[in-house]
Amino acid sequence: MSAVQQLPEGRYGSSRSADARADRKLKIAAIVLGTLFAAMMCWFGWYYVAGGSRFSGEVIAFQPYDDHVKVHLEIRKDPGTSGYCTIRSQGEDQAEVGRADFRFTAHEDRIDKVVTLRTTGGRGTTAELVGCHAD
């Protein structure tokens, strides 16, 4: 007597091979999509760290007056890069009383400058750097 039992032809084997093919296609699709996602994340990371031109700023100090705010800015940028920084001021009630863009085109990599932000509708009590952008 033989211990191996024969299964009916086409009854069980065909669905197992179709499942195996579907599993293989899903694995290939997952590998391809995962590789593309990893490549995209590497590209974004490289662009963020080393790619785009560097242009950033920081508010060092500010002094509010009745109709303006004097703001001491420190700008760090790549030499030869120009751009602008947006600064805003709020009043005591947290309403925005002034906003302006200040352009920086000097060839140095670090600029210290005091700018004057005009305010309307109240005395400015803050000076906030909204952001800096290279041209």
Coordinates of all heavy atoms in Angstrom, one line a residue, residues 25-77:
K25 N 2.7 39.0 -7.3 CA 2.5 40.3 -7.9 C 2.4 41.4 -6.8 O 2.9 42.5 -6.9 CB 1.2 40.3 -8.7 CG 1.4 39.6 -10.0 CD 0.1 39.6 -10.8 CE 0.2 38.8 -12.1 NZ -1.0 38.8 -12.8
L26 N 1.7 41.1 -5.7 CA 1.6 42.1 -4.6 C 3.0 42.4 -4.0 O 3.3 43.5 -3.6 CB 0.7 41.6 -3.5 CG -0.8 41.6 -3.8 CD1 -1.7 41.0 -2.7 CD2 -1.3 43.1 -4.0
K27 N 3.8 41.4 -3.8 CA 5.1 41.6 -3.3 C 6.0 42.5 -4.2 O 6.7 43.4 -3.7 CB 5.9 40.2 -3.0 CG 5.3 39.5 -1.8 CD 6.1 38.1 -1.7 CE 5.5 37.3 -0.6 NZ 6.1 36.0 -0.5
I28 N 5.9 42.2 -5.5 CA 6.6 43.0 -6.4 C 6.2 44.5 -6.4 O 7.0 45.4 -6.4 CB 6.5 42.4 -7.9 CG1 7.3 41.1 -7.9 CG2 7.1 43.4 -8.9 CD1 7.1 40.3 -9.2
A29 N 4.8 44.7 -6.4 CA 4.3 46.0 -6.3 C 4.7 46.7 -5.1 O 5.1 47.9 -5.1 CB 2.8 46.0 -6.4
A30 N 4.7 46.0 -3.9 CA 5.1 46.6 -2.7 C 6.6 47.0 -2.7 O 7.0 48.1 -2.2 CB 4.8 45.7 -1.5
I31 N 7.4 46.2 -3.3 CA 8.9 46.5 -3.4 C 9.1 47.7 -4.2 O 9.9 48.6 -3.9 CB 9.7 45.3 -3.9 CG1 9.7 44.2 -2.8 CG2 11.1 45.6 -4.3 CD1 10.2 42.8 -3.2
V32 N 8.4 47.8 -5.4 CA 8.6 48.9 -6.3 C 8.1 50.2 -5.7 O 8.8 51.2 -5.7 CB 7.8 48.6 -7.6 CG1 7.8 49.9 -8.5 CG2 8.5 47.5 -8.4
L33 N 6.9 50.2 -5.0 CA 6.4 51.4 -4.4 C 7.3 51.8 -3.2 O 7.5 53.0 -3.0 CB 5.0 51.2 -4.0 CG 3.9 51.1 -5.1 CD1 2.6 50.8 -4.6 CD2 3.9 52.4 -5.9
G34 N 7.7 50.8 -2.4 CA 8.6 51.2 -1.3 C 9.9 51.8 -1.7 O 10.4 52.7 -1.1
T35 N 10.5 51.3 -2.8 CA 11.7 51.8 -3.4 C 11.5 53.2 -3.9 O 12.3 54.1 -3.6 CB 12.3 50.9 -4.5 OG1 12.4 49.6 -4.0 CG2 13.6 51.4 -5.0
L36 N 10.4 53.5 -4.6 CA 10.1 54.8 -5.1 C 9.9 55.8 -3.9 O 10.4 56.9 -3.9 CB 8.9 54.8 -6.0 CG 9.1 54.2 -7.3 CD1 7.7 54.1 -8.1 CD2 10.1 54.9 -8.2
F37 N 9.2 55.4 -2.9 CA 9.0 56.2 -1.7 C 10.3 56.5 -1.0 O 10.5 57.7 -0.6 CB 8.0 55.5 -0.7 CG 7.7 56.3 0.5 CD1 6.8 57.4 0.4 CD2 8.2 56.0 1.7 CE1 6.6 58.2 1.5 CE2 8.0 56.8 2.8 CZ 7.1 57.9 2.7
A38 N 11.1 55.5 -0.8 CA 12.4 55.8 -0.2 C 13.3 56.7 -1.0 O 13.9 57.6 -0.5 CB 13.2 54.5 0.0
A39 N 13.3 56.6 -2.3 CA 14.0 57.5 -3.2 C 13.5 58.9 -3.1 O 14.3 59.9 -3.0 CB 14.0 57.0 -4.6
M40 N 12.2 59.1 -3.0 CA 11.6 60.4 -2.9 C 12.0 61.0 -1.6 O 12.3 62.2 -1.5 CB 10.1 60.3 -3.1 CG 9.3 61.6 -3.0 SD 7.6 61.5 -3.2 CE 7.1 60.8 -1.6
M41 N 11.9 60.3 -0.5 CA 12.3 60.8 0.8 C 13.8 61.2 0.8 O 14.1 62.3 1.4 CB 12.0 59.8 1.9 CG 10.5 59.6 2.2 SD 9.8 61.1 2.9 CE 8.8 61.6 1.5
C42 N 14.6 60.4 0.2 CA 16.1 60.8 0.1 C 16.3 62.1 -0.7 O 17.0 63.0 -0.3 CB 16.9 59.7 -0.5 SG 17.0 58.2 0.6
W43 N 15.5 62.2 -1.7 CA 15.7 63.5 -2.6 C 15.2 64.7 -1.8 O 15.8 65.7 -1.8 CB 14.9 63.3 -3.9 CG 15.1 64.5 -4.8 CD1 16.1 64.7 -5.6 CD2 14.1 65.6 -4.9 NE1 15.9 65.9 -6.2 CE2 14.7 66.5 -5.9 CE3 12.9 65.9 -4.4 CZ2 14.1 67.6 -6.2 CZ3 12.3 67.0 -4.7 CH2 12.9 67.9 -5.7
F44 N 14.0 64.6 -1.1 CA 13.5 65.7 -0.3 C 14.5 66.0 0.8 O 14.7 67.2 1.1 CB 12.1 65.4 0.3 CG 11.0 65.5 -0.7 CD1 10.0 64.6 -0.7 CD2 10.9 66.6 -1.6 CE1 8.9 64.7 -1.6 CE2 9.9 66.7 -2.5 CZ 8.9 65.8 -2.5
G45 N 15.0 65.0 1.5 CA 16.0 65.3 2.5 C 17.2 66.0 2.0 O 17.7 66.9 2.7
W46 N 17.8 65.5 0.9 CA 19.0 66.1 0.4 C 18.7 67.6 0.0 O 19.5 68.5 0.3 CB 19.4 65.4 -0.9 CG 20.6 66.1 -1.5 CD1 21.9 65.9 -1.2 CD2 20.6 67.0 -2.6 NE1 22.7 66.8 -2.0 CE2 21.9 67.4 -2.8 CE3 19.5 67.5 -3.4 CZ2 22.2 68.3 -3.8 CZ3 19.9 68.4 -4.4 CH2 21.2 68.8 -4.6
Y47 N 17.5 67.8 -0.7 CA 17.2 69.2 -1.1 C 17.1 70.1 0.2 O 17.5 71.2 0.2 CB 15.9 69.2 -1.9 CG 15.6 70.6 -2.4 CD1 16.2 71.1 -3.5 CD2 14.6 71.4 -1.8 CE1 15.9 72.4 -4.0 CE2 14.3 72.6 -2.2 CZ 15.0 73.1 -3.3 OH 14.7 74.4 -3.8
Y48 N 16.4 69.6 1.2 CA 16.2 70.4 2.4 C 17.6 70.7 3.1 O 17.8 71.8 3.6 CB 15.3 69.6 3.4 CG 15.1 70.4 4.7 CD1 14.2 71.5 4.7 CD2 15.7 70.0 5.9 CE1 14.0 72.2 5.9 CE2 15.5 70.7 7.0 CZ 14.6 71.8 7.0 OH 14.4 72.5 8.2
V49 N 18.5 69.7 3.2 CA 19.7 69.9 3.9 C 20.8 70.7 3.0 O 21.4 71.6 3.5 CB 20.3 68.6 4.4 CG1 21.7 68.7 5.0 CG2 19.4 68.0 5.4
A50 N 21.0 70.2 1.8 CA 22.1 70.7 1.0 C 21.7 71.4 -0.3 O 22.5 72.1 -0.9 CB 23.1 69.6 0.7
G51 N 20.5 71.1 -0.8 CA 20.1 71.5 -2.1 C 19.8 73.0 -2.3 O 20.6 73.7 -2.9
G52 N 18.7 73.4 -1.7 CA 18.3 74.8 -2.0 C 19.2 75.8 -1.3 O 20.0 75.5 -0.5
S53 N 19.1 77.1 -1.8 CA 20.0 78.1 -1.2 C 19.5 78.4 0.2 O 18.3 78.4 0.5 CB 19.9 79.3 -2.1 OG 18.6 79.8 -2.2
R54 N 20.5 78.7 1.0 CA 20.2 78.9 2.4 C 19.9 80.4 2.6 O 20.7 81.2 2.2 CB 21.4 78.5 3.3 CG 21.2 78.5 4.7 CD 22.4 78.0 5.4 NE 23.6 78.7 5.1 CZ 24.2 79.6 5.9 NH1 23.7 79.8 7.1 NH2 25.3 80.2 5.5
F55 N 18.8 80.7 3.3 CA 18.5 82.1 3.6 C 17.6 82.1 4.8 O 16.4 81.7 4.7 CB 17.8 82.8 2.4 CG 17.7 84.3 2.5 CD1 18.6 85.0 1.8 CD2 16.8 84.9 3.2 CE1 18.6 86.4 1.8 CE2 16.7 86.3 3.3 CZ 17.6 87.0 2.6
S56 N 18.1 82.5 6.0 CA 17.3 82.5 7.2 C 17.6 83.7 8.0 O 18.6 84.4 7.8 CB 17.6 81.2 8.0 OG 18.9 81.2 8.4
G57 N 16.7 84.0 8.9 CA 16.9 85.2 9.8 C 16.4 84.9 11.2 O 15.8 83.9 11.5
E58 N 16.8 85.9 12.1 CA 16.4 85.8 13.5 C 16.3 87.2 14.0 O 17.0 88.1 13.7 CB 17.5 85.1 14.2 CG 17.3 84.9 15.7 CD 18.4 84.1 16.3 OE1 19.4 83.7 15.7 OE2 18.3 83.9 17.6
V59 N 15.2 87.4 14.8 CA 15.0 88.7 15.5 C 15.9 88.6 16.8 O 15.7 87.8 17.6 CB 13.5 88.9 15.9 CG1 13.4 90.1 16.8 CG2 12.7 89.0 14.7
I60 N 16.9 89.6 16.8 CA 17.7 89.7 18.0 C 17.1 90.5 19.1 O 17.1 90.1 20.2 CB 19.1 90.3 17.6 CG1 19.7 89.4 16.4 CG2 20.0 90.4 18.8 CD1 20.0 88.0 16.8
A61 N 16.5 91.6 18.7 CA 15.9 92.5 19.7 C 14.9 93.4 18.9 O 15.0 93.5 17.7 CB 17.0 93.4 20.4
F62 N 14.0 94.0 19.7 CA 13.1 95.0 19.1 C 12.7 96.0 20.1 O 12.8 95.8 21.3 CB 11.8 94.3 18.5 CG 10.9 93.7 19.5 CD1 9.9 94.4 20.1 CD2 11.1 92.4 19.9 CE1 9.0 93.9 21.0 CE2 10.3 91.8 20.9 CZ 9.2 92.6 21.4
Q63 N 12.4 97.2 19.6 CA 12.0 98.3 20.5 C 10.8 99.0 19.9 O 10.8 99.5 18.8 CB 13.2 99.4 20.6 CG 12.8 100.6 21.4 CD 12.7 100.2 22.9 OE1 13.5 99.5 23.4 NE2 11.6 100.7 23.5
P64 N 9.6 98.9 20.7 CA 8.4 99.5 20.2 C 8.3 101.0 20.5 O 8.8 101.4 21.5 CB 7.3 98.7 20.9 CG 8.0 98.2 22.2 CD 9.4 98.1 21.8
Y65 N 7.8 101.7 19.5 CA 7.5 103.1 19.6 C 6.0 103.3 19.3 O 5.3 102.3 19.0 CB 8.4 104.0 18.7 CG 9.8 103.9 19.1 CD1 10.7 103.0 18.4 CD2 10.4 104.7 20.1 CE1 12.0 102.8 18.8 CE2 11.7 104.6 20.4 CZ 12.5 103.7 19.7 OH 13.8 103.6 20.1
D66 N 5.5 104.5 19.4 CA 4.1 104.8 19.1 C 3.6 104.4 17.7 O 2.6 103.8 17.6 CB 3.7 106.3 19.4 CG 3.7 106.6 20.8 OD1 3.6 105.7 21.7 OD2 3.9 107.8 21.2
D67 N 4.4 104.7 16.7 CA 3.9 104.5 15.3 C 4.9 103.5 14.5 O 4.7 103.4 13.3 CB 3.8 105.8 14.6 CG 5.1 106.6 14.5 OD1 6.0 106.2 15.2 OD2 5.2 107.5 13.6
H68 N 5.8 102.9 15.2 CA 6.7 102.0 14.5 C 7.4 101.1 15.6 O 7.4 101.4 16.8 CB 7.8 102.7 13.7 CG 8.7 103.6 14.4 ND1 8.4 104.9 14.9 CD2 10.0 103.4 14.8 CE1 9.4 105.4 15.5 NE2 10.4 104.5 15.5
V69 N 8.1 100.1 15.0 CA 8.9 99.2 15.9 C 10.3 99.1 15.2 O 10.4 98.8 14.0 CB 8.2 97.8 16.0 CG1 9.1 96.8 16.8 CG2 6.8 97.9 16.6
K70 N 11.3 99.3 16.0 CA 12.7 99.1 15.5 C 13.0 97.6 15.8 O 12.9 97.1 16.9 CB 13.7 100.0 16.2 CG 13.5 101.4 15.9 CD 14.3 101.8 14.8 CE 14.3 103.4 14.6 NZ 14.8 103.8 13.4
V71 N 13.5 96.9 14.7 CA 13.8 95.5 14.8 C 15.2 95.2 14.4 O 15.6 95.6 13.3 CB 12.8 94.7 13.9 CG1 13.1 93.2 14.1 CG2 11.4 95.0 14.2
H72 N 16.0 94.6 15.3 CA 17.3 94.2 15.0 C 17.3 92.8 14.4 O 16.9 91.8 15.1 CB 18.2 94.3 16.2 CG 19.6 93.9 16.0 ND1 20.5 93.7 17.0 CD2 20.4 93.6 14.9 CE1 21.7 93.3 16.5 NE2 21.6 93.3 15.2
L73 N 17.7 92.6 13.2 CA 17.7 91.3 12.5 C 19.1 90.8 12.3 O 20.0 91.6 12.0 CB 17.0 91.4 11.1 CG 15.5 91.6 11.1 CD1 15.0 91.8 9.7 CD2 14.8 90.4 11.7
E74 N 19.2 89.5 12.3 CA 20.5 88.8 11.9 C 20.1 87.9 10.8 O 19.3 87.0 11.0 CB 21.1 88.1 13.0 CG 22.4 87.4 12.6 CD 23.0 86.6 13.7 OE1 23.4 87.2 14.7 OE2 23.1 85.3 13.6
I75 N 20.7 88.1 9.6 CA 20.4 87.3 8.4 C 21.6 86.4 8.1 O 22.7 86.9 8.1 CB 20.1 88.2 7.2 CG1 19.0 89.2 7.5 CG2 19.7 87.3 6.0 CD1 17.7 88.6 7.9
R76 N 21.3 85.1 7.9 CA 22.4 84.2 7.5 C 22.0 83.6 6.2 O 20.8 83.1 6.0 CB 22.5 83.0 8.6 CG 23.1 83.5 9.9 CD 23.0 82.5 11.0 NE 21.6 82.0 11.3 CZ 20.7 82.6 12.0 NH1 21.0 83.8 12.5 NH2 19.6 82.1 12.2
K77 N 22.9 83.7 5.2 CA 22.6 83.3 3.9 C 23.9 82.8 3.1 O 25.0 83.1 3.6 CB 21.9 84.4 3.1 CG 22.8 85.6 2.9 CD 22.0 86.8 2.3 CE 22.9 87.9 1.8 NZ 23.8 87.5 0.7

